[in-house]
């Protein structure tokens, strides 16, 4: 019994230590980045809104007809979630190289450097949600119990991002050019996630391929159904998202754990 209590205490102490370190790293990155200025902080918050305005102005007449809840809100849902994914995973690229001294000199759990980047992206996302809430109120979308499903939708995406972030952090140490290729990938991802167009205008085959091959599209679809349409998403969407979230996390964690010691030794 005493051994069990001691083990629990050690785990609690370790979690508290890790949370403290993560908090300090988030503050450090905030001070290093443009977010340390008022305009930098404001830009991080309104960036999804700016993207929404541009897409509405450019694509509104082509794709804006017949969308429930209004085309701007439809686009803003996509840009907000896309912004969370791209900012979080892109920051993970530098999670290890940017903390080289910590990796060498401390015995902390190496995963916290990736987790910290994801949490920093979540911080900006929560600020952006204030603008999203304002748009929902402006379009008079009535509250619904389905809104609660937005939380597990985002949480599953964060789990997926954590797994992808671990892989990107490791790959970036040995192949720095991955940064440029990943920028191209996220650009393709934006156009393949139905952010500014209706997927029902595509062929049935393309709709199925997008649902199966693009988990970000699934995340955005679930969010639109729960928030704008106030309906319960089909269970198949949840299954696909869970498979991607768990699959990316497991693969990313295994890959990270196998490579991290060799990476630290080479630094």
């Amino acid at each position: 019994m005493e051994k069990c209590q001691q083990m629990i205490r050690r785990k609690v102490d370790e979690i508290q230590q890790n949370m403290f370190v993560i908090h300090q790293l988030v503050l450090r990155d905030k001070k290093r980045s443009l977010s340390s200025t008022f305009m930098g902080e404001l830009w991080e918050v309104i960036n999804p809104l700016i993207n929404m305005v541009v897409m509405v102005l450019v694509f509104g007449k082509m794709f804006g007809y017949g969308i429930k809840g209004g085309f701007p809100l439809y686009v803003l849902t996509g840009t907000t979630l896309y912004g969370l994914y791209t900012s979080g995973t892109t920051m993970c690229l530098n999670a290890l190289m940017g903390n080289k001294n910590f990796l060498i000199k401390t015995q902390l759990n190496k995963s916290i450097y990736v987790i910290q980047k994801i949490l920093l992206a979540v911080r900006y996302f929560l600020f952006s949600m204030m603008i999203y809430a304002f748009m929902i109120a402006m379009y008079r979308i009535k509250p619904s119990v389905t809104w609660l499903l937005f939380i597990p939708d985002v949480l599953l995406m964060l789990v997926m991002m954590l797994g992808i972030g671990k892989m990107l952090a490791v790959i970036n140490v040995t192949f720095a050019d991955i940064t440029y290729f990943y920028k191209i990938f996220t650009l393709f991802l934006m156009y393949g996630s139905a952010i500014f167009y209706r997927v029902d205008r595509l062929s049935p085959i393309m709709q199925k391929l997008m649902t199966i091959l693009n988990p970000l599209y699934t995340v955005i679809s679930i969010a639109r159904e729960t928030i704008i349409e106030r309906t319960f998403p089909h269970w198949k969407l949840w299954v696909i998202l869970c498979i991607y979230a768990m699959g990316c996390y497991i693969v990313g964690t295994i890959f990270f754990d196998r490579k991290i010691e060799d990476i630290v030794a080479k630094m």
Side-chain angles (χ1 to χ4, degrees):
M1 187 66 178
E2 291 183 2
K3 290 183 178 180
C4 182
Q5 291 178 346
Q6 291 176 357
M7 186 180 298
I8 293 175
R9 288 174 185 171
R10 284 197 298 269
K11 287 294 182 181
V12 171
D13 291 340
E14 182 181 349
I15 292 173
Q16 290 178 341
Q17 182 185 30
N18 288 340
M19 290 305 297
F20 175 77
V21 173
I22 289 173
H23 178 67
Q24 294 302 313
L25 291 173
V26 169
L27 292 178
R28 183 203 63 182
D29 282 0
K30 181 177 177 294
K31 291 178 181 179
R32 284 182 175 179
S33 67
L34 290 175
S35 307
S36 58
T37 65
F38 172 76
M39 288 305 299
E41 188 81 8
L42 182 63
W43 175 255
E44 292 291 349
V45 174
I46 67 173
N47 190 36
L49 179 64
I50 298 298
N51 290 333
M52 179 270 287
V53 171
V54 172
M55 289 184 180
V56 169
L57 292 175
V58 175
F59 302 108
K61 290 186 178 181
M62 289 187 289
F63 304 112
Y65 297 104
I67 292 181
K68 188 176 181 180
F71 186 62
L73 187 58
Y74 178 90
V75 175
L76 185 60
T77 305
T79 56
T80 302
L81 292 170
Y82 172 79
L84 171 60
Y85 174 84
T86 52
S87 65
T89 53
T90 301
M91 285 191 292
C92 285
L93 284 163
N94 197 42
L96 298 180
M97 290 299 296
N99 294 287
K100 182 178 179 180
N101 292 332
F102 285 98
L103 285 168
I104 297 173
K105 297 178 181 180
T106 66
Q107 297 297 322
L108 295 172
N109 188 330
K110 307 302 186 294
S111 297
I112 66 172
Y113 304 110
V114 179
I115 296 173
Q116 174 255 322
K117 298 296 184 182
I118 300 296
L119 291 180
L120 185 59
V122 171
R123 179 181 180 275
Y124 297 137
F125 171 74
L126 292 177
F127 283 122
S128 298
M129 286 302 296
M130 292 189 293
I131 297 177
Y132 188 62
F134 173 77
M135 290 290 293
I136 289 175
M138 191 175 72
Y139 278 92
R140 298 180 181 180
I141 305 295
K142 296 181 179 179
S144 171
V145 68
T146 60
W147 286 12
L148 296 175
L149 295 176
F150 182 73
I151 298 175
D153 183 33
V154 174
L155 290 177
L156 285 170
M157 182 173 71
L158 292 176
V159 173
M160 179 178 66
M161 288 169 56
L162 183 56
I164 294 172
K166 287 183 175 182
M167 288 187 282
L168 291 174
V170 171
I171 295 173
N172 189 51
V173 175
T174 56
F175 183 60
D177 289 339
I178 187 65
T179 301
Y180 305 104
F181 288 103
Y182 193 67
K183 286 181 180 179
I184 297 173
F185 170 77
T186 54
L187 183 62
F188 277 109
L189 192 65
M190 181 188 70
Y191 288 108
S193 297
I195 292 177
F196 56 85
Y197 59 87
R198 292 171 52 181
V199 73
D200 57 6
R201 295 188 177 185
L202 303 177
S203 66
I205 295 177
M206 284 298 299
Q207 293 181 41
K208 288 182 179 179
L209 287 176
M210 285 181 62
T211 304
I212 296 173
L213 300 179
N214 187 353
L216 182 59
Y217 164 71
T218 303
V219 172
I220 295 173
S221 295
I222 291 175
R224 284 170 175 160
E225 291 184 27
T226 57
I227 301 296
I228 301 176
E229 300 178 14
R230 299 186 301 155
T231 59
F232 291 94
H234 197 281
W235 63 270
K236 290 182 179 180
L237 294 177
W238 289 109
V239 171
I240 292 171
L241 182 55
C242 287
I243 291 174
Y244 268 105
M246 294 299 106
C248 288
Y249 180 78
I250 292 172
V251 172
T253 300
I254 293 174
F255 181 72
F256 186 88
D257 291 342
R258 287 184 176 179
K259 297 291 185 179
I260 189 62
E261 295 303 328
D262 292 337
I263 288 175
V264 173
K266 293 177 180 178
M267 285 182 172

